[in-house]
Amino acid sequence: MINKIFIQNYKIFDKFELELKSGLNIIVGDNEVGKSTILEAVNLALTKRLNGRFIEYELTPHLFNKKYVDKYLKSLKEGKPIKLPEIIIELYFDDIPELALLRGSMNTKREGCIGIKLEIVFDEDYQEEYENLSKNPSDEVRLIPAEYYKVRWYSFGNNAITKRSLPIRLSYIDATTIRLQSGTDYYLQDIIKTDLDPKERVELNIAYRKLKELFSKEASIKGINDKLKSKKGAITNKDLSISIDISQKSNWETNLVPHLDDLPFQLIGKGEQSALKIMLALERKGVESNIILIEEPENHLTFSSMNTLISKIEDKCEGKQIIIATHSTYVLNKLGLENLILLHYDYRDKKIEKATLINLPKDTQDYFKKLPGYDTLRIVLARKSILVEGPSDELIIQKAYLQKHKSLPIENGVDVISVRGLSFSRFLDIAKELKKDVVVVTDNDGDYRKKVDEKYKDYNSYSNIMISRSEDDTAPTLEPQIVNCNDLEVLNRILSKTFSDKEKMKDYMKNNKTECALRIFENNENIVFPEYIENAIK
């Protein structure tokens, strides 16, 4: 199995290294962070193919990392050219006897280990031609000269390899690229191959031929053919008729269509089609494969359908290495956060970073496995999260942020998440592992030292985690905090009330939390927010 992958100058990755588990690996991330590129790189290194064709026929300047390409082109203009970019993909394997022939130290780390390497490098046979081209002012180089590149595919022992010589079998499954009709044919062929004996296959062939012959004997068809024959001479000098092709090229294998609950395969839902095609691909290729790559399995599927599909994938791929790229938090929760590989773009360092949750406490993992919503992925993908106790608190935070920054939090990559059951610690376990910036906005419940400070003391040492609460124990929840900060006249105006003292206003707001929060959020009038709210939205 693959225990590590190294990618250099391939698409979004300038230099990237990722460790993999021998079993299940779930790669999660936002758009354009390289999830699919990782699967593509693994497939390329194991098959030497891209988009179904040998990589030599798919070489383009756009395969090279743009950051390095820009750096190279800049060096050309300055007259101090640096080395032309090279694409390197290395796969490091577990130390097992079957792969001993791949052992060597011809890798970027110069380590003695088992693995394979695919390089896309400049072909020095074209050195003089390219130098003349790059020196010609009228032929300014704007793109990497991919036509001057060659591909090398070899083991860490520096031996050239072929697909036949590589003792590893791979299945790369993307339901969006499996053609519907081909999938149908394969599905039927598998049924015939595994479930019917030779006699039954012959009987099916005979029955199908008889059906085609009976077609021309139908009264309506005979009437149509008689009419066509009357056109003899106008269209052709021979008798024209219609029938079904009974030659060998048109047989039951290409014409029978599977039905699900009496509906033709082409007419069932997209989600069912997607799931069936994934299972079909696993049925056809997964048995012989050591490594399974699955691209975005959640397309068009409901939670219940996804649950069924995941269970089938786990059963089919037992004992194999699986790498799944997904957006789906349901896939993430169901298969386990301990299998998560998070990819995210670091805007400070301007590069793709990775993180895992392998050290997440087991009770936290179990909690998220039971969580039906999508909050897990929200905290995983957001640049910054603000955790609140309920929907009314969420509206107040949204209003406070909008009032201060003139935009909603989500517009700036800040996700406000209402946490069920006050399970802040579960989300904070994720935040500390992934080094995600998170603010908890919580009530003090009349005793901020015991109910808040003592409760979250284990997270105080993490600079990316902030616990925001009030030290005013006389105002245990958000509603009295807001009343204390504002003139009664302002709140009466916003809430359309006529309370004469603040205590009645507090009681009303506590008993009508969501309605009051919604009115505050929708009102254009500014109000004063408690200090701990202001600190949370800085």
Side-chain angles (χ1 to χ4, degrees):
M1 301 299 181
I2 304 169
N3 58 56
K4 183 166 58 179
I5 176 174
F6 174 79
I7 304 173
Q8 180 174 304
N9 289 332
Y10 184 63
K11 293 192 174 180
I12 197 170
F13 298 116
D14 51 356
K15 192 170 286 188
F16 181 80
E17 188 175 298
L18 179 65
E19 293 185 359
L20 297 171
K21 297 171 63 178
S22 59
L24 180 64
N25 301 269
I26 310 171
I27 302 175
V28 179
D30 210 343
N31 294 325
E32 308 299 326
V33 294
K35 302 188 305 298
S36 298
T37 302
I38 291 175
L39 300 191
E40 189 177 277
V42 172
N43 181 66
L44 180 54
L46 283 173
T47 66
K48 204 186 177 188
R49 288 176 177 269
L50 181 65
N51 302 325
R53 303 206 309 161
F54 284 113
I55 182 61
E56 287 88 347
Y57 302 109
E58 291 288 314
L59 289 181
T60 74
H62 305 294
L63 294 181
F64 296 84
N65 177 256
K66 188 176 185 304
K67 186 191 297 184
Y68 189 93
V69 169
D70 290 343
K71 185 178 179 181
Y72 170 75
L73 295 178
K74 182 180 178 182
S75 73
L76 276 186
K77 289 182 179 180
E78 294 173 348
K80 300 176 182 179
I82 60 175
K83 185 179 180 180
L84 273 160
E86 297 178 349
I87 291 174
I88 298 174
I89 302 173
E90 294 177 342
L91 301 182
Y92 295 73
F93 298 105
D94 293 338
D95 195 344
I96 56 177
E98 292 85 348
L99 302 179
L101 291 175
L102 304 177
R103 183 183 299 279
S105 58
M106 294 299 293
N107 50 66
T108 53
K109 295 182 178 297
R110 293 295 182 260
E111 296 177 352
C113 51
I114 293 174
I116 60 175
K117 184 174 187 175
L118 184 136
E119 291 182 320
I120 303 175
V121 298
F122 183 76
D123 190 340
E124 293 181 357
D125 289 345
Y126 298 103
Q127 183 70 40
E128 184 177 350
E129 182 178 341
Y130 178 63
E131 285 181 356
N132 291 333
L133 174 66
S134 59
K135 290 176 182 177
N136 190 340
S138 62
D139 293 322
E140 182 183 350
V141 177
R142 294 183 176 86
L143 295 172
I144 294 302
E147 63 273 18
Y148 294 153
Y149 274 70
K150 62 182 179 181
V151 180
R152 295 188 64 219
W153 194 29
Y154 56 97
S155 72
F156 285 177
N158 203 29
N159 298 314
I161 57 176
T162 64
K163 185 178 181 182
R164 181 173 296 179
S165 67
L166 195 61
I168 300 169
R169 293 294 173 262
L170 170 77
S171 290
Y172 188 5
I173 300 170
D174 182 354
T176 61
T177 64
I178 300 174
R179 288 180 299 171
L180 182 62
Q181 189 57 47
S182 296
T184 304
D185 296 342
Y186 284 129
Y187 183 69
L188 279 174
Q189 289 169 17
D190 284 343
I191 292 175
I192 300 306
K193 197 178 296 180
T194 58
D195 295 339
L196 301 184
D197 59 36
K199 182 182 177 181
E200 289 172 322
R201 288 198 292 270
V202 171
E203 290 174 349
L204 179 58
N205 202 36
I206 292 172
Y208 184 69
R209 189 174 68 247
K210 286 182 178 179
L211 180 65
K212 292 194 291 186
E213 290 172 349
L214 287 172
F215 177 82
S216 60
K217 297 179 180 179
E218 285 285 331
S220 58
I221 301 302
K222 287 185 67 176
I224 292 172
N225 283 337
D226 289 342
K227 187 173 183 179
L228 289 174
K229 287 176 183 178
S230 69
K231 300 290 185 180
K232 186 175 181 178
I235 301 175
T236 175
N237 290 325
K238 297 181 178 181
D239 289 340
L240 179 65
S241 63
I242 59 171
S243 186
I244 295 178
D245 185 2
I246 59 173
S247 65
Q248 283 296 318
K249 70 175 183 177
S250 177
N251 53 30
W252 59 265
E253 291 173 316
T254 57
N255 285 300
L256 292 186
V257 176
H259 287 59
L260 297 181
D261 290 340
D262 295 328
L263 275 178
F265 184 77
Q266 295 91 332
L267 300 181
I268 64 175
K270 294 293 185 182
E272 192 73 44
Q273 287 184 12
S274 177
L276 185 56
K277 288 190 283 186
I278 288 173
M279 293 311 301
L280 166 62
L282 284 175
E283 190 74 35
R284 288 184 55 235
K285 300 185 291 183
V287 175
E288 300 176 352
S289 301
N290 313 102
I291 300 169
I292 312 290
L293 309 179
I294 302 178
E295 174 78 40
E296 299 287 6
E298 72 276 10
N299 290 334
H300 307 287
L301 289 176
T302 63
F303 284 173
S304 59
S305 297
M306 178 56 62
N307 187 13
T308 302
L309 176 60
I310 290 169
S311 298
K312 290 179 179 178
I313 290 174
E314 287 183 295
D315 291 341
K316 284 288 182 186
C317 300
E318 186 176 0
K320 304 176 187 297
Q321 185 174 41
I322 312 169
I323 307 173
I324 298 177
T326 182
H327 284 95
S328 174
T329 186
Y330 187 73
V331 173
L332 174 63
N333 285 356
K334 175 66 179 175
L335 294 183
L337 292 173
E338 72 276 15
N339 301 309
L340 168 70
I341 299 170
L342 167 68
L343 299 183
H344 65 100
Y345 186 75
D346 189 324
Y347 288 87
R348 289 167 292 189
D349 296 335
K350 295 184 178 180
K351 65 178 182 178
I352 303 297
E353 292 286 3
K354 61 185 181 297
T356 67
L357 293 174
I358 194 170
N359 296 319
L360 206 63
K362 187 178 184 307
D363 58 343
T364 297
Q365 294 178 22
D366 293 340
Y367 169 81
F368 282 108
K369 281 186 178 181
K370 299 171 185 176
L371 196 65
Y374 59 98
D375 292 340
T376 321
L377 196 63
R378 289 173 65 184
I379 193 170
V380 164
L381 297 182
R383 294 187 198 176
K384 180 178 181 179
S385 299
I386 301 177
L387 306 182
V388 298
E389 295 186 8
S392 59
D393 295 39
E394 180 181 349
L395 286 169
I396 295 299
I397 290 293
Q398 298 270 8
K399 172 66 175 182
Y401 193 98
L402 179 62
Q403 185 173 294
K404 183 178 183 66
H405 300 285
K406 311 305 179 188
S407 61
L408 289 171
I410 199 65
E411 295 175 25
N412 297 325
V414 179
D415 201 351
V416 183
I417 304 173
S418 177
V419 177
R420 298 176 181 85
L422 303 182
S423 301
F424 290 125
S425 60
R426 307 298 187 189
F427 288 86
L428 294 181
D429 285 341
I430 292 180
K432 71 180 185 181
E433 288 295 320
L434 301 182
K435 298 180 175 57
K436 285 284 185 177
D437 291 331
V438 173
V439 177
V440 170
V441 177
T442 182
D443 297 332
N444 63 39
D445 292 331
D447 188 350
Y448 77 90
R449 293 189 185 278
K450 181 178 180 181
K451 299 291 182 66
V452 182
D453 293 359
E454 182 67 23
K455 185 177 181 179
Y456 298 109
K457 65 180 181 180
D458 293 340
Y459 302 100
N460 290 336
S461 60
Y462 295 93
S463 60
N464 59 303
I465 295 175
M466 173 184 173
I467 310 298
S468 189
R469 84 292 184 268
S470 170
E471 294 185 2
D472 183 2
D473 287 343
T474 64
T477 62
L478 180 58
E479 289 75 28
Q481 292 280 347
I482 290 178
V483 174
N484 289 345
C485 291
N486 290 272
D487 291 337
L488 188 58
E489 182 183 347
V490 173
L491 294 177
N492 275 327
R493 190 162 55 245
I494 292 174
L495 301 178
S496 300
K497 297 297 174 182
T498 57
F499 292 114
S500 57
D501 66 76
K502 287 193 172 185
E503 291 305 315
K504 291 183 179 179
M505 176 62 77
K506 290 177 184 179
D507 290 339
Y508 173 76
M509 291 184 68
K510 283 190 292 185
N511 293 326
N512 299 273
K513 288 175 176 286
T514 305
E515 181 184 348
C516 292
L518 185 59
R519 282 180 172 269
I520 291 172
F521 176 78
E522 293 179 338
N523 199 282
N524 292 326
E525 188 167 353
N526 288 348
I527 68 169
V528 178
F529 291 98
E531 183 180 5
Y532 74 102
I533 298 292
E534 293 288 348
N535 290 336
I537 62 172
K538 283 182 179 178

